[in-house]
Amino acid sequence: MRWLNETIEFPPLSEANSDGLLAVGGDLSSKRVLHAYKNGIFPWYETDQPLLWWSPDPRFVLYPNKLKVSKSSNQLLRSKKFEVSINRNFEDVIQACAKIKRRSQSGTWITERMIEVYCELHQMGLAKSVEVWLDNKLVGGLYGIQFNDDVFCGESMFSHVSNASKIGFISFIQMSNLKLIDCQVHSDHLESLGAEQISRSDFMQYLTPL
């Protein structure tokens, strides 16, 4: 396993282990995080762990043209029960994602330093948030990185009201001209919306011009 130093570089993706763990350590600067995403790598660790950098193979992605919208979700979209916005309140979205309790996690990987870095990337125009509102209250949302016109790298989502984040996710895809949503690792929820596994090499073609 490669330990990183202050130099902003990563080992070849082929060095990742079977779980996709590629490297450990380094720093969590906006420059390094952006360099990671551009090379198919993302940070994911909990507060009691060192910095962990991942590049899984296969990669879990969603093609917008394969998005599955259920009849009930379509009805909810048409009802306009929720208002959906983009980049209206990035910090509140990432803070809410950090605080939401998840069954499979004892803590959160969205540390205070992680929040600072992604807010920096948002100020640079590279991190986006999607907000879902009900009666002028923020009830759901998601955020991620988008550094080119083709791929949105989704990071986390939250809901305080049933279906809020799902409606935000569907609405964002329908409003965009993206070619790929990077979901990173498998989840049953995203699979129900049409996400699938592809090889890391196929995924990398969306990051590197041919």
Side-chain angles (χ1 to χ4, degrees), residues 46-49 98-109:
E46 295 190 11
T47 50
D48 59 345
Q49 296 177 320
K99 293 173 183 175
I100 202 81
K101 292 184 178 179
R102 307 179 196 277
R103 294 178 185 174
S104 58
Q105 296 177 357
S106 57
T108 180
W109 61 272

Side-chain angles (χ1 to χ4, degrees), residues 4 41 61 66 70 85 96 112-113 146 154 158 162 168-169 202 210:
L4 304 180
I41 303 161
V61 305
K66 293 184 178 182
S70 67
S85 61
E112 284 301 315
R113 178 56 188 153
Q146 185 178 341
F158 80 97
S162 181
F169 184 69
D202 284 348
L210 296 175

Side-chain angles (χ1 to χ4, degrees), residues 1-17:
M1 180 59 56
R2 187 82 64 92
W3 279 85
L4 304 180
N5 55 33
E6 67 278 2
T7 304
I8 298 179
E9 63 181 13
F10 291 94
L13 300 187
S14 59
E15 292 189 16
N17 68 16

